[in-house]
Amino acid sequence: MSAMANAVTRERSDGAILVRLRGEVDLSWSQQVRRAVLDAFDAGLAVGIDLADVAYIDSSGIAALVEGLQQGRARGQRFALVAPSAAVRAVLELARLDRVFDIVDTPAALGGTG
Amino acid sequence: MTAAQPAVVAGAAATPRLRDTGALVFLAELSRALAVSLDLHQTLTQAITRVRDFLEVEGIALFLLDAASQVLECRVSAGPIDVTGMRLAVGQGVVGQTLAQDCTQIVAQAQDDPRLWRGSDEASGFITRSLVCAPLRTAAGPIGVIEIVNRRDGVPFSAADAELLELVAAPAALAINNARLAGELLEQQRLKRELDLARHLQKSLLPRRRRDGFPVLGVNRPAHEMSGDFYDYFELPGGDIGFVIGDIAGKGLDAALLMMRAASLLRWIGKEHPAPALWLARANEELCESAREGRFVCAVVGYCDRAATRVRFANAGFPPVLVLHGGQYRQYLADGPPLGIVREVGFDEHEVALDGGALYAFSDGATDVRGSDGRPIGLAGLRALIERHAQATPKARLRSLLGELRRLHLVDDTTFLLIEAAQAERPELLFTRSLPARAESMRGLRAELRAVFDQQAIEPRLRDELVLAVDEACTNVIRHGYGPDCEGPLTVRATRCAATLTLEIVDEAPAVDPASLRPGTLGECRCGGLGIALIDRIMDDWRIEPAADGRGNRLVLHKHIDSWAGEEAADA
């Protein structure tokens, strides 16, 4: 388990908003994550959450992702998880949410079709 | 070997054929051939033909006695008429009388002799003119008769012929007897091998002892090779444990075979988890259809939870079930007749709160044991024995009980089933940490826990799940236990007992209503709901209770670690 610093960044890529999370998503900063996820919809584009560098996620982090899912549906914008790490996939499976989310392998797969 | 003198009936002159030079050589060869025979029937067939030719007689036959039916049957013969298979009662005809009197018979002139059984001649047209019969003697009495008929030279048989026949009879008797003993020995060895196999198979039906704090324990001591008793236990989906103890009426192989059938029948019905009374009723119907007359099955069947707090059971004709709780015995008599006797009988059932007590079910072998006064020790004697060993761990207690019963003299198969919360094998403390209940504490805690689980050889995926479960539990305390305006201590402890990992999270927050903590439905992210759902999926069981000193809450999580169970089995 690498001691990766927690970080959230946002970028625009091919007509979509990509929110990149790093580190361990837990209660200590899941509110920030939640905010970043919800704010990403403001541009009216597809939203992708890059989870490739997330070493750990707990239910508060999953809750932020679920809120993103609900927001996307409400606003008719695509919301997808991008390249979730094995640790994230394991928790999604455990929460039986792995089939609920739109999961893509690369940011390019988001398609800027907002 | 000449215990009886030949009964010379007719005074024919003794011919000195015994003194012929070839006689001794012939007898020596005959004895040797019989002694080294590998196939006695073939050797005897060849031998009597040679005897017939040597003695220059027309016919010769060898009869053997079937001890059970007391019938003499001709096994080999040589002559113009094949009499092989002829059967005579002991005492019937000259052959029968030779055996009955264990004495050589000479009939010089057959035509006039009333002892002769004429059935054979009448059927075959053969004319018996003269005959001699000699018994085949062994230490245990005669086992047959050898008969010669009609000298070829037409001369009636004499005492000298009888003497010669007796000399031939001796090695024949010896060889036949040896072959029989050898055959019996082989048969005994074969039977023993088969019994060993059957006993092995029967033992293999008994469940293996479980080590990981399993609350049901059984022992079975057969009085003979095979047991008519059995016990069984198995885990059911949902965590309950089904158990069975039974006893087949009667002993021996057929009781043992019925035991195997009853044991598997009860197991298969039990796996469907019917109420104990129904369980017995269904087994009863099945056994009534198939059990042989006079064979029936006594049994107790039931369920308990893993912590052995409650037991449900029903008793079909089995000795009373004893529940020992706080030094007091409660006794539960049979709720119905044994299985396999009458159809469509109903059974009652009991539900007992065990709460740290112990339930004993035992076959009647345990109470039929003779005490020092030679009388069965009965229920009172058995209770006294149980009390004497009450302090020992369940496993040691059963071992001591059986040991004492054996010293007293076991007369019957004896089987015990004990249900009791497994006494803690001293749990091993793996980890303990007190930390402020703050979200910022969690990352460090997770790292420490990962290291501990790695050290305990828990595979990475399970390790991460366990870490998640602890994290979710702590997070719940931080968010909902103490709340945003309040902070307090949090203690996390991990212990290992056999193959069970126990995780405890203790706080000093206001008491939580356990009913408010329910796993959320899928996708539901109300506060804490998803976290509890995750804990619920990861752990085998969990509970929340007031902390020991009455302040705060104690959340206890359990997980059976398969790789630890493997280590335990390797130790066994």
Side-chain angles (χ1 to χ4, degrees):
Chain A
M1 194 61 52
S2 60
M4 212 176 339
N6 295 335
V8 52
T9 56
R10 171 180 166 148
E11 64 197 70
R12 191 169 167 147
S13 122
D14 291 337
I17 301 295
L18 190 64
V19 176
R20 214 182 281 276
L21 301 181
R22 277 166 57 101
E24 303 190 12
V25 182
D26 69 3
L27 185 62
S28 63
W29 66 298
S30 56
Q31 282 309 308
Q32 274 172 264
V33 172
R34 174 177 175 272
R35 201 62 263 156
V37 168
L38 294 179
D39 288 350
F41 286 94
D42 293 349
L45 301 172
V47 173
I49 312 295
D50 189 322
L51 299 163
D53 288 332
V54 172
Y56 178 84
I57 189 164
D58 74 358
S59 64
S60 65
I62 296 288
L65 299 179
V66 169
E67 272 194 79
L69 177 76
Q70 290 165 338
Q71 185 78 358
R73 280 185 184 162
R75 300 171 66 135
Q77 285 166 256
R78 186 175 185 191
F79 178 79
L81 307 185
V82 181
S85 65
V88 174
R89 279 183 186 274
V91 179
L92 287 175
E93 283 169 26
L94 207 55
R96 311 280 196 272
L97 291 171
D98 50 323
R99 302 269 176 101
V100 175
F101 284 104
D102 182 3
I103 297 176
V104 297
D105 291 336
T106 61
L110 281 172
T113 56
Chain B
M1 69 139 266
T2 51
Q5 286 298 309
V8 180
V9 176
T15 43
R17 291 199 296 172
L18 182 54
R19 281 188 294 277
D20 289 355
T21 46
L24 278 176
V25 177
F26 172 76
L27 280 170
E29 265 182 26
L30 182 70
S31 300
R32 193 190 55 80
L34 287 168
V36 302
S37 167
L38 289 173
D39 178 346
L40 188 65
H41 187 265
Q42 193 195 4
T43 312
L44 279 176
T45 309
Q46 290 164 355
I48 65 158
T49 309
R50 288 170 64 196
V51 171
R52 181 194 63 178
D53 294 341
F54 177 73
L55 294 179
E56 295 172 355
V57 297
E58 289 179 3
I60 182 164
L62 192 136
F63 291 79
L64 290 182
L65 177 70
D66 178 54
S69 62
Q70 287 292 297
V71 167
L72 281 154
E73 184 179 336
C74 177
R75 295 300 183 85
V76 284
S77 71
I81 307 296
D82 182 8
V83 292
T84 307
M86 178 193 283
R87 292 160 67 86
L88 296 165
V90 173
Q92 183 183 10
V94 182
V95 171
Q97 287 175 43
T98 304
L99 188 108
Q101 296 169 22
D102 191 13
C103 174
T104 301
Q105 308 276 322
I106 303 173
V107 178
Q109 300 291 344
Q111 278 359 73
D112 314 326
D113 201 292
R115 288 172 296 171
L116 212 70
W117 177 68
R118 299 185 190 277
S120 172
D121 280 9
E122 281 161 13
S124 64
F126 182 79
I127 295 167
T128 300
R129 297 189 308 272
S130 179
L131 67 96
V132 179
C133 290
L136 299 172
R137 292 197 174 106
T138 70
I143 56 169
V145 172
I146 186 165
E147 177 191 41
I148 48 176
V149 179
N150 296 354
R151 277 176 64 147
R152 287 176 189 165
D153 58 9
V155 176
F157 285 118
S158 65
D161 296 307
E163 207 178 316
L164 205 49
L165 188 63
E166 283 184 343
L167 286 176
V168 169
L174 197 64
I176 293 166
N177 203 38
N178 284 345
R180 280 191 170 174
L181 291 177
E184 277 171 23
L185 199 64
L186 274 179
E187 180 67 6
Q188 275 174 12
Q189 283 172 339
R190 191 182 61 80
L191 272 175
K192 188 175 176 306
R193 264 200 312 277
E194 293 198 346
L195 264 181
D196 281 347
L197 256 173
R199 182 174 46 210
H200 221 75
L201 179 66
Q202 204 181 31
K203 265 194 105 169
S204 74
L205 284 181
L206 298 176
R208 293 172 124 193
R209 171 139 61 218
R210 304 283 300 267
R211 295 163 60 90
D212 44 349
F214 202 74
V216 185
L217 208 62
V219 283
N220 165 249
R221 186 80 55 194
H224 305 288
E225 269 91 356
M226 302 288 287
S227 177
D229 286 4
F230 60 98
Y231 65 87
D232 198 1
Y233 41 74
F234 42 84
E235 279 169 300
L236 293 157
D240 269 7
I241 294 159
F243 62 85
V244 175
I245 178 170
D247 180 0
I248 309 296
K251 292 186 187 49
L253 206 56
D254 59 337
L257 292 174
L258 177 58
M259 170 250 147
M260 295 199 201
R261 173 162 161 65
S264 52
L265 179 66
L266 286 164
R267 184 182 182 92
W268 285 112
I269 297 174
K271 287 227 162 162
E272 287 175 23
H273 209 159
L278 187 61
W279 186 351
L280 288 179
R282 285 177 56 188
N284 182 50
E285 291 306 305
E286 189 63 33
L287 287 168
C288 277
E289 254 177 50
S290 57
R292 293 227 333 262
E293 198 112 341
R295 289 265 177 248
F296 53 84
V297 181
C298 301
V300 171
V301 300
Y303 306 102
C304 67
D305 57 326
R306 211 183 158 86
T309 49
R310 297 194 80 72
V311 185
R312 263 174 95 194
F313 63 93
N315 180 342
F318 207 68
V321 170
L322 291 181
V323 173
L324 180 57
H325 192 269
Q328 295 288 312
Y329 276 108
R330 279 171 290 163
Q331 193 169 305
Y332 298 87
L333 299 175
D335 303 297
L339 308 173
I341 300 178
V342 252
R343 306 188 75 132
E344 285 169 26
V345 289
F347 297 89
D348 291 331
E349 60 183 53
H350 308 277
E351 181 153 3
V352 178
L354 219 47
D355 293 333
L359 179 146
Y360 293 87
F362 44 86
S363 63
D364 51 13
T367 45
D368 287 351
V369 164
R370 308 285 148 162
S372 48
D373 58 358
R375 299 224 299 268
I377 63 165
L379 213 51
L382 183 63
R383 283 175 164 202
L385 277 184
I386 290 173
E387 273 161 52
R388 199 179 310 161
H389 297 283
Q391 297 313 311
T393 64
K395 199 161 56 177
R397 194 178 328 142
L398 282 193
R399 203 186 310 123
S400 308
L401 271 175
L402 260 192
E404 290 225 28
L405 292 175
R406 212 159 23 171
R407 266 198 297 285
L408 286 171
H409 187 52
L410 281 180
V411 290
D412 198 355
D413 302 333
T414 302
T415 304
F416 277 93
L417 196 77
L418 168 60
I419 301 177
E420 183 177 319
Q423 285 183 8
E425 286 177 54
R426 278 180 70 86
E428 180 192 349
L429 182 66
L430 302 180
F431 175 79
T432 182
R433 175 80 62 250
S434 288
L435 60 168
R438 280 206 306 259
E440 292 69 31
S441 311
M442 299 313 299
R443 190 169 179 156
L445 176 70
R446 290 196 298 266
E448 282 189 89
L449 280 174
R450 278 187 206 108
V452 168
F453 294 151
D454 278 339
Q455 210 171 19
Q456 291 294 319
I458 295 175
E459 51 100 12
R461 173 141 195 164
L462 179 57
R463 171 201 67 197
D464 290 347
E465 290 185 1
L466 293 168
V467 168
L468 178 64
V470 174
D471 182 274
E472 295 295 344
C474 294
T475 302
N476 257 339
V477 173
I478 295 165
R479 288 168 85 184
H480 310 298
Y482 289 113
D485 310 321
C486 177
E487 197 184 291
L490 191 63
T491 301
V492 176
R493 196 176 295 125
T495 48
R496 171 184 176 166
C497 189
T500 302
L501 170 71
T502 302
L503 300 166
E504 289 168 83
I505 293 98
V506 182
D507 64 45
E508 291 180 10
V512 167
D513 173 12
S516 71
L517 295 178
R518 266 195 301 270
T521 51
L522 292 187
E524 178 196 355
C525 288
R526 76 177 158 83
C527 291
L530 181 60
I532 291 169
L534 290 174
I535 292 173
D536 208 56
R537 295 215 178 99
I538 294 166
M539 306 307 294
D540 294 337
D541 59 71
W542 59 273
R543 65 171 193 274
I544 188 152
E545 58 194 24
D549 56 5
R551 212 154 50 108
N553 307 282
R554 179 169 173 262
L555 176 67
V556 184
L557 317 173
H558 288 122
K559 183 74 180 175
H560 177 89
I561 309 293
D562 289 340
S563 59
W564 289 357
E567 287 170 30
E568 291 276 316
D571 291 346

